[in-house]
Amino acid sequence: MIILALGSALAGQRADDAIIIKQTLSAQLIRQAGVTSLADLLALADDWRLTSVDGFSWQASPNGLSSFTNQSWLVLINGQRIDYGALGTFHLNLLPVSPAVIDSIEILSLPVLYEGQFADKGLIHIYTKRPREGLSVYGSGIVGQKTGEPGPYAFTHYSTTNVDKMGSSGFVALDYGAPGWSSRLHLKLNQYPFTYSVLQQQNKKVIAEWPGLFNLTPTLNIRLDRENHQHELLATGSISQKHFFLYFPPLAREVPTNSTVGHVGLYGRFDLSPRADLKYRLRHGVNRFSKYPNTLNLDLDWGHISSSAGIEWNSQGKLAARQIGAVLERNALQTSYRLDQDQYLLVRLYGRLGWGAQSGRWYTLAAYLTRQAEQTAVKGQLSSRWRIATHQVVRTNLAYSERLPAEDGGWTYWSSLGYNLLADNNIAYYDQATGRTSRLATADIQWRMELGPALALQAGINFRRHTDFQIQQQSFQLLYDDCSLYAPSLVLVTGDGSVAGASVGLVHRAGGKLSQRLHYGFIAAATGDARFTSHWETIPQHSLSYQLSATPLPDLMIWARLSYLTSSNWSTYSKIDSACNSGQLSGAYPASKLNGYTVWDIQFQKHFWRRRLLGALLLKNVTNADMKLHPVGASFDLSFFVRVSLLLVSKSIPR
């Protein structure tokens, strides 16, 4: 189930982490919920608004910390930062884990110092399961079918309809566990056909073949766990070929590309004493997009390389905790464009002090300094946890963060250095935000009350003040010859304003047989100039979700979710509210205002063969509601998925 802000410290974490306002997704919830891919986990994150054009690559707005155009939220796997985001999109489905190997997930939706990172734009931390003792072989396969869309032959001379696969995915893993060490070899496969008709409409002249993704991700994970020191190696590479379509927002179209993503990281800890330890983090990552042949000669020509080394000292006392750390990070871009500078260094220094009292109060003060060339950015937080009554806890978090343009390292930063992708595609680019350091001040308050052993109530409010917030201004036009979009210019500007939000949640648990959860969230621009408030209209203000998990029989599990989201307005696409008639496709183009929707999902799971075999049937959008997440994106109609999982181990399986 979802455990909200309980602050239960995992192995290796400090006691003062218990005051952090966070959301934890347990392995039980992930197993029961209708999760067919890692991107589905985002839908379980409270107060994160989501958008996607194709259902494979996603943008998120984490609780008012950033909008859909600024994807600087972080992803960690077992304490190691993974850089799988690029060009305004985070590719969560390419991460080197599968839902079945996840032990838990922590979601941070406010600025805090966490695992050597200052998460001022949000953070997702994935913990994987430790291999059981002995040898284990297991895997899973998923296939899906969508209704209401033409099949992959509808636009050829075969003209076949209603054979549109949602794609297939699966993994196989080989685990070995022994006293003091363990290893996992994990191979993940993704196939995604991109067969939504709206995508075909926008891109039918770009590529002659029907688009489709073939992605293969092998991963090696080795853990060494000794009495006074622990170490973990994570090495992975993700190769996406067969015309992977990457949606690049400034072009308002999918770009055919071949993608290669790699990561090698080492994370360890030495216990200096029973109350002190020394941690280290080493990481090297590559995120590359190369050209796939297409009629418009589109080429992202992007090869981002990031390496970092960090060291951290921690000391934990009965009523105090101290932390000091440093990180050196190098970023480089490999491209055929002639850059004024193709690499840069970031130096990060940070410290944290936590103290408490017997009265049930705990405080944390953290400071974080980032230096790049002649620029310096300062970040900090002051958090508290106060048990105001036997069954009531209040948590607060005040934070301030400055963010250098180089910290994002996105296409806007590299464009200021000569990455002329927009100019090569006939888009005039005007950068009026060069060198500006954005600033963010936040306040969060959360109250939680246990109403009994099975019922908990939670409420919270938050406020974010953005200064020099980066905004991309474009006005897209409809090209009637092929029903695609074009914006003659892009202006990068800044805006000032504030965002306010509130949430309330109720959790009910009846033993291990039944759990229910209700959550409501609100977020909206409270003040600001015209460009700021208009930009935040793309974020739906109200969200409501209800989840039910039931186990009526020992081997039968039922999960259902009701999701409601209000409308949003995308002024960037206001000029495309018209009809298009070109070739075999005609009709009204998607409107710039997205209507709200209510969606039901339900999943049935059944174990067989002494729990070695698991079968699951998932129905998404059961009522076939009009569910659109982006003005130029697909409509996610009724679809169903079938999953089969198999587990073979060298020892007997406990029931």
Side-chain angles (χ1 to χ4, degrees), residues 35-310:
V35 176
T36 61
S37 65
L38 289 177
D40 288 342
L41 295 170
L42 288 174
L44 303 178
D46 293 334
D47 302 316
W48 282 47
R49 304 294 197 261
L50 308 174
T51 184
S52 178
V53 171
D54 51 38
F56 188 84
S57 299
W58 293 79
Q59 294 86 36
S61 174
N63 197 22
L65 297 178
S66 65
S67 64
F68 291 142
T69 59
N70 188 346
Q71 299 300 289
S72 299
W73 45 282
L74 303 175
V75 174
L76 276 64
I77 298 179
N78 297 335
Q80 298 188 31
R81 175 181 163 186
I82 309 293
D83 288 324
Y84 273 30
L87 298 169
T89 303
F90 201 96
H91 308 102
L92 206 62
N93 285 328
L94 301 184
L95 288 175
V97 293
S98 301
V101 303
I102 296 177
D103 181 69
S104 64
I105 297 177
E106 290 184 347
I107 301 172
L108 275 65
S109 304
L110 73 171
V112 291
L113 176 59
Y114 182 92
E115 291 288 351
Q117 307 284 336
F118 198 87
D120 54 348
K121 300 298 183 182
L123 181 145
I124 294 177
H125 192 177
I126 300 173
Y127 295 92
T128 60
K129 299 176 181 177
R130 290 191 177 269
R132 65 178 72 194
E133 187 176 347
L135 183 67
S136 303
V137 180
Y138 54 101
S140 175
I142 302 173
V143 295
Q145 175 79 23
K146 183 177 183 298
T147 65
E149 288 288 341
Y153 301 103
F155 301 97
T156 69
H157 63 277
Y158 297 106
S159 190
T160 306
T161 60
N162 199 29
V163 290
D164 181 22
K165 283 188 177 180
M166 287 292 295
S168 58
S169 62
F171 80 95
V172 60
L174 175 65
D175 286 4
Y176 182 79
W181 75 282
S182 63
S183 66
R184 170 176 292 138
L185 186 60
H186 181 275
L187 184 63
K188 178 180 173 182
L189 170 67
N190 276 313
Q191 289 183 299
Y192 198 81
F194 295 98
T195 52
Y196 292 103
S197 60
V198 66
L199 301 185
Q200 173 69 16
Q201 173 174 309
Q202 298 167 31
N203 297 282
K204 62 182 180 180
K205 288 191 176 182
V206 177
I207 187 170
E209 306 168 77
W210 190 272
L213 166 70
F214 179 85
N215 169 256
L216 193 64
T217 305
T219 304
L220 175 64
N221 188 201
I222 300 176
R223 305 186 188 191
L224 182 66
D225 192 354
R226 299 302 168 88
E227 182 178 359
N228 296 318
H229 56 98
Q230 301 83 36
H231 313 272
E232 179 171 351
L233 171 69
L234 179 64
T236 181
S238 178
I239 302 174
S240 301
Q241 293 185 330
K242 196 179 178 182
H243 28 280
F244 171 28
F245 262 22
L246 171 68
Y247 182 76
F248 185 48
L251 298 182
R253 67 161 67 248
E254 293 71 31
V255 179
T257 182
N258 290 323
S259 169
T260 303
V261 182
H263 170 89
V264 177
L266 188 62
Y267 179 31
R269 186 182 72 195
F270 294 94
D271 295 330
L272 305 178
S273 71
R275 293 185 176 274
D277 64 63
L278 188 67
K279 291 183 178 180
Y280 68 90
R281 301 178 179 90
L282 303 173
R283 175 184 62 88
H284 178 75
V286 177
N287 203 329
R288 189 182 308 278
F289 293 95
S290 58
K291 182 180 179 180
Y292 186 88
N294 61 89
T295 57
L296 298 183
N297 201 32
L298 297 172
D299 184 6
L300 296 176
D301 195 6
W302 177 274
H304 184 255
I305 300 174
S306 179
S307 304
S308 66

Side-chain angles (χ1 to χ4, degrees), residues 465-480:
R465 174 63 186 179
H466 294 272
T467 305
D468 284 333
F469 181 83
Q470 195 177 96
I471 299 172
Q472 300 173 22
Q473 290 188 325
Q474 281 184 287
S475 181
F476 287 101
Q477 304 171 9
L478 184 62
L479 300 180
Y480 291 93

Side-chain angles (χ1 to χ4, degrees), residues 512-572:
K513 298 292 186 179
L514 176 68
S515 67
Q516 302 177 80
R517 185 171 181 281
L518 181 68
H519 179 84
Y520 165 78
F522 168 80
I523 192 78
T527 64
D529 53 37
R531 62 178 62 165
F532 182 88
T533 55
S534 175
H535 184 76
W536 279 93
E537 288 181 357
T538 62
I539 311 297
Q541 293 188 358
H542 303 272
S543 68
L544 179 68
S545 67
Y546 168 75
Q547 294 186 60
L548 168 71
S549 297
T551 309
L553 299 173
D555 290 329
L556 176 64
M557 293 172 288
I558 301 174
W559 172 86
R561 179 179 63 195
L562 170 68
S563 303
Y564 168 73
L565 207 64
T566 53
S567 61
S568 60
N569 186 47
W570 302 62
S571 60
T572 300

Side-chain angles (χ1 to χ4, degrees), residues 63-65 109-112 118 120 380-382 397-401 439-445 462-466 499:
N63 197 22
L65 297 178
S109 304
L110 73 171
V112 291
F118 198 87
D120 54 348
Q381 80 179 85
L382 176 60
N397 191 86
L398 301 175
Y400 173 79
S401 65
R439 297 182 299 280
L440 173 66
T442 67
D444 292 79
I445 302 176
N462 61 70
F463 179 81
R464 286 86 171 86
R465 174 63 186 179
H466 294 272
V499 177

